[in-house]
Amino acid sequence: MNAIDLLGTMGLKEAQIVEKTDSYVGLLIKIPSGQNMLVTEEYIQQSLNEAGKLATESALSDYDTDGSPITVSKVRFTSKGLVAKQYQTPYGEIYLQSASFWWFYLLSA
């Protein structure tokens, strides 16, 4: 069993958002002590990846639309509501509820 699998079996949450404001996201990162340097390095990598995923989820949520209709060059986009989406990040996959849109051509100018 490698260190990453061990983290899961220990039930450890490596990172969590502890504060969020308009200017920053505060994260708490826990890095368990390993039995040797190799295991410790794997714990560090896993914890930092978890922190990166949380920060990316927070940023994507901040920049997502509120679902209001959007008109671009005579094409009207209306929200279908929140849809579960998968994103690939440098830290691993994240899943997020994000607005999704239908489009309609406007008939009058």
Side-chain angles (χ1 to χ4, degrees):
M1 175 179 295
N2 66 26
I4 294 171
D5 293 336
L6 184 59
L7 277 173
T9 61
M10 293 169 60
L12 293 175
K13 187 168 190 168
E14 300 85 24
Q16 59 186 351
I17 294 175
V18 293
E19 185 177 6
K20 184 173 178 178
T21 71
D22 290 338
S23 6
Y24 67 88
V25 174
L27 298 168
L28 172 66
I29 301 171
K30 295 180 183 178
I31 301 171
S33 299
Q35 59 212 19
N36 59 49
M37 191 58 195
L38 178 61
V39 171
T40 299
E41 287 177 336
E42 289 180 1
Y43 284 158
I44 292 168
Q45 184 66 56
Q46 179 66 22
S47 298
L48 292 174
N49 282 340
E50 188 64 30
K53 290 192 294 187
L54 285 173
T56 302
E57 285 176 12
S58 177
L60 284 171
S61 294
D62 289 345
Y63 292 110
D64 196 12
T65 180
D66 64 1
S68 299
I70 301 168
T71 302
V72 179
S73 299
K74 296 188 179 187
V75 179
R76 181 179 172 97
F77 296 86
T78 57
S79 178
K80 294 192 277 185
L82 295 178
V83 176
K85 295 183 180 179
Q86 175 184 353
Y87 296 89
Q88 298 294 325
T89 75
Y91 320 103
E93 292 179 350
I94 59 173
Y95 298 89
L96 189 63
Q97 294 287 325
S98 184
S100 186
F101 286 85
W102 294 100
W103 57 268
F104 301 94
Y105 285 106
L106 297 177
L107 300 177
S108 60

